[in-house]
Amino acid sequence: MAQTHTVSFVADVTGVSQMPEAQKVEDKGKINADVLTVPVLTDYTFQYWAKNGTKFDMGSEIREDTVLHAVFARNEVDITWPDVTGMAGVQSLNNNN
């Protein structure tokens, strides 16, 4: 019988929905990316899965139990305010501001 490994998908923040179920993968097999749901976090966009802080290549062979972490980027938001102080305009805020 072939050895199998568990691939788990986690989010390191609260409020994430639609997390994929863990997958059992045969040794040196690959994750079935076709059945993965895309995690959802309000005001953020899912970017990729990471292993040990590095972007994970979904085509990689699985050789051990693996935990993949969801990486999100904050959505950019435009804020417009009226000209009350002579500083009217639009300010874009994203994960760098």
Side-chain angles (χ1 to χ4, degrees), residues 74 93-97:
R74 186 162 181 85
L93 302 175
N94 59 33
N95 58 337
N96 297 317
N97 295 9

Side-chain angles (χ1 to χ4, degrees), residues 42-62:
T42 302
D43 296 328
Y44 289 79
T45 300
F46 172 76
Q47 298 293 299
Y48 56 86
W49 294 105
K51 179 181 177 184
N52 300 325
T54 304
K55 185 175 182 178
F56 182 77
D57 176 359
M58 296 303 275
S60 297
E61 290 182 350
I62 302 298

Side-chain angles (χ1 to χ4, degrees), residues 39-89:
V40 174
L41 179 60
T42 302
D43 296 328
Y44 289 79
T45 300
F46 172 76
Q47 298 293 299
Y48 56 86
W49 294 105
K51 179 181 177 184
N52 300 325
T54 304
K55 185 175 182 178
F56 182 77
D57 176 359
M58 296 303 275
S60 297
E61 290 182 350
I62 302 298
R63 297 169 182 244
E64 61 187 356
D65 288 347
T66 302
V67 177
L68 298 180
H69 298 260
V71 176
F72 295 91
R74 186 162 181 85
N75 295 337
E76 187 171 292
V77 178
D78 288 336
I79 300 174
T80 305
W81 58 92
D83 186 4
V84 222
T85 63
M87 297 174 34

